[in-house]
Amino acid sequence: MIILLGPTGVGKTTLSISVANHFRTEIISCDSRQLFSEMTIGTAVPDDELLYAVPHHFIRSHSILDTYNAAQFEIDVLGVLEQLFTKHPVVVMTGGSMLYIDAVCKGIDDLPDIDPKLRATLTERLKHFGINHMRAELKLLDPVYYHEVDLQNPVRILHALEICYTTGKTFSSQRTKTVKERNFRIVKIGLNRDRTELYNRINQRVDEMMAAGLEQEAGSLYGSRHLNTMNTVGYRELFDYFDGNCTLKEAVEKIKANTRKYARKQLTWFRKDPEIHWFHPDQKKEIFELIAQ
RNA sequence: GGUGCCAUAGCUCAGUUGGUAGAGCAACGGACUGAAAAUCCGUGUGUCCCUAGUUCGAUUCUUGGUGGCACCA
């Protein structure tokens, strides 16, 4: 499997089409937001033309009403891959969702699904009693993880508690972090470009999204704004505008800034992965040479 | 032309009763195995507009410039 990864806006889509065409194969999208059919403009889903040129998987395949996560993605992708490998010797995966990439490449621990009610209860408790209370609870239920976890991060604390309550066992005892073996080879190709160049592309793309009707798309999703998946760059800033918290211009600037921030965060994550071979998106020749090996 | 106000980090501004300065945003770095476009953490030297003066010492006070804004002619 060839994985094309890199920060948002770097130019993964264009290259993925060339690579997929070259191998006459199909593309698995690894994007935690393009997954949802309701979000198209704001998540920079490729044009229909490109989607028809090469078969794509995991694009607009789910609804924001579905709960989805990296573990489910691992299962689903492995299933699709099994099918694809019967027809194609090479499959292309492309996207920038870091955790989802790792889930496919290394696997994710086997943990039970969390009852949304439990999550709601714990979130409510956090709001009422404060983070110290939740920390104390975790210290009691899973002292090992208590000493490992970022105690400032409520999401981490709550998730550990969810697992403890759901399984009756400590979270730490189930966190094996073992890397699963895959029966296919993985080549990771990282795409990056000059920072100002990347930022210019991002800023420009946001303007294009607005011209393409992002405001309307966000407006149609305003009623769903409390869903987890709607906590997404490009939408939450416009929800703020709809709520009267800022001007449209400020919202657009905020989208640009948050997209840039997201790109930086992706680069931070990818930087520590030694398996990635880095290229500029224009180095097509070099990339194909690497793949040929 | 006159009067008043302003000039400090990339931006918006705070502050120093005279001892060379700090917030927000941006930028940069990091953590992160089931919410991950999420969540969380860390990083602030900048001719304090220029000039001359007072002073042991001026970004702070005074003189004169320059630029901007407002009001009056």
Side-chain angles (χ1 to χ4, degrees), chain A residues 1 3 5 28-32 35 68-79 81 93 96-110 177-182 184 186 188 269-270 273 275:
Chain A
M1 181 168 62
I3 302 180
L5 54 84
I28 290 177
S29 165
C30 190
D31 190 303
S32 71
L35 222 44
Y68 205 77
N69 56 47
Q72 191 59 48
F73 187 71
E74 177 194 358
I75 295 166
D76 294 346
V77 169
L78 291 181
L81 276 177
M93 184 164 93
S97 295
M98 304 87 82
L99 184 63
Y100 282 39
I101 295 171
D102 277 0
V104 170
C105 296
K106 303 183 197 163
I108 221 166
D109 284 333
D110 200 22
K177 291 190 137 194
T178 45
V179 175
K180 290 183 195 159
E181 285 292 313
R182 299 303 187 209
F184 48 88
I186 295 171
K188 290 181 186 171
W269 180 291
F270 293 140
D273 185 342
E275 293 172 9

Side-chain angles (χ1 to χ4, degrees), chain A residues 2-8 10-13 15-16 30 92-98 101-102 105 186-192 266-267 269-271 273 275-279 281:
Chain A
I2 297 166
I3 302 180
L4 298 174
L5 54 84
T8 187
V10 79
K12 296 186 289 292
T13 304
L15 188 70
S16 70
C30 190
V92 174
M93 184 164 93
T94 182
S97 295
M98 304 87 82
I101 295 171
D102 277 0
C105 296
I186 295 171
V187 179
K188 290 181 186 171
I189 294 169
L191 300 180
N192 198 8
Q266 289 173 300
L267 287 168
W269 180 291
F270 293 140
R271 215 172 276 143
D273 185 342
E275 293 172 9
I276 299 175
H277 302 87
W278 287 100
F279 294 95

Side-chain angles (χ1 to χ4, degrees), chain A residues 30-259:
Chain A
C30 190
D31 190 303
S32 71
R33 291 300 189 271
Q34 289 181 4
L35 222 44
F36 299 108
S37 60
E38 294 89 341
M39 294 189 265
T40 301
I41 299 170
T43 58
V45 167
D47 295 338
D48 287 345
E49 206 182 310
L50 295 176
L51 294 180
Y52 288 132
V54 177
H56 280 72
H57 302 266
F58 300 99
I59 284 196
R60 311 193 60 186
S61 50
H62 293 71
S63 164
I64 54 170
L65 301 172
D66 303 332
T67 53
Y68 205 77
N69 56 47
Q72 191 59 48
F73 187 71
E74 177 194 358
I75 295 166
D76 294 346
V77 169
L78 291 181
V80 170
L81 276 177
E82 205 175 324
Q83 297 284 320
L84 292 178
F85 279 134
T86 63
K87 295 183 282 179
H88 308 284
V90 176
V91 173
V92 174
M93 184 164 93
T94 182
S97 295
M98 304 87 82
L99 184 63
Y100 282 39
I101 295 171
D102 277 0
V104 170
C105 296
K106 303 183 197 163
I108 221 166
D109 284 333
D110 200 22
L111 293 170
D113 286 334
I114 302 302
D115 182 356
K117 274 189 223 151
L118 174 61
R119 176 163 292 177
T121 310
L122 289 173
T123 307
E124 197 56 35
R125 286 239 290 280
L126 170 68
K127 227 194 272 174
H128 265 82
F129 301 111
I131 193 160
N132 273 324
H133 185 93
M134 307 317 280
R135 283 178 190 146
E137 210 166 306
L138 180 65
K139 195 174 186 179
L140 211 63
L141 290 173
D142 189 348
V144 174
Y145 189 63
Y146 176 85
H147 287 290
E148 291 172 3
V149 72
D150 175 2
L151 288 169
Q152 313 247 46
N153 193 331
V155 171
R156 296 275 144 71
I157 293 173
L158 287 197
H159 182 243
L161 288 173
E162 285 166 1
I163 298 296
C164 291
Y165 283 122
T166 304
T167 61
K169 291 186 281 187
T170 62
F171 179 47
S172 51
S173 68
Q174 302 170 76
R175 243 162 61 99
T176 69
K177 291 190 137 194
T178 45
V179 175
K180 290 183 195 159
E181 285 292 313
R182 299 303 187 209
N183 59 359
F184 48 88
R185 277 190 62 195
I186 295 171
V187 179
K188 290 181 186 171
I189 294 169
L191 300 180
N192 198 8
R193 45 172 95 224
D194 180 73
R195 203 51 83 84
T196 49
E197 198 182 27
L198 180 66
Y199 285 179
N200 287 339
R201 286 172 62 97
I202 286 172
N203 296 340
Q204 195 187 332
R205 194 177 66 174
V206 172
D207 287 333
E208 285 164 8
M209 285 175 179
M210 288 305 292
L214 180 58
E215 191 183 338
Q216 288 77 358
E217 186 174 87
S220 71
L221 292 168
Y222 184 73
S224 309
R225 68 188 182 285
H226 295 304
L227 292 173
N228 256 331
T229 42
M230 288 319 299
N231 189 358
T232 297
V233 174
Y235 297 89
R236 56 179 197 216
E237 296 85 355
L238 285 171
F239 295 156
D240 262 349
Y241 159 65
F242 296 147
D243 288 334
N245 297 328
C246 64
T247 66
L248 181 61
K249 204 176 160 213
E250 285 167 344
V252 171
E253 284 311 304
K254 207 71 196 150
I255 292 172
K256 290 176 184 173
N258 285 335
T259 308

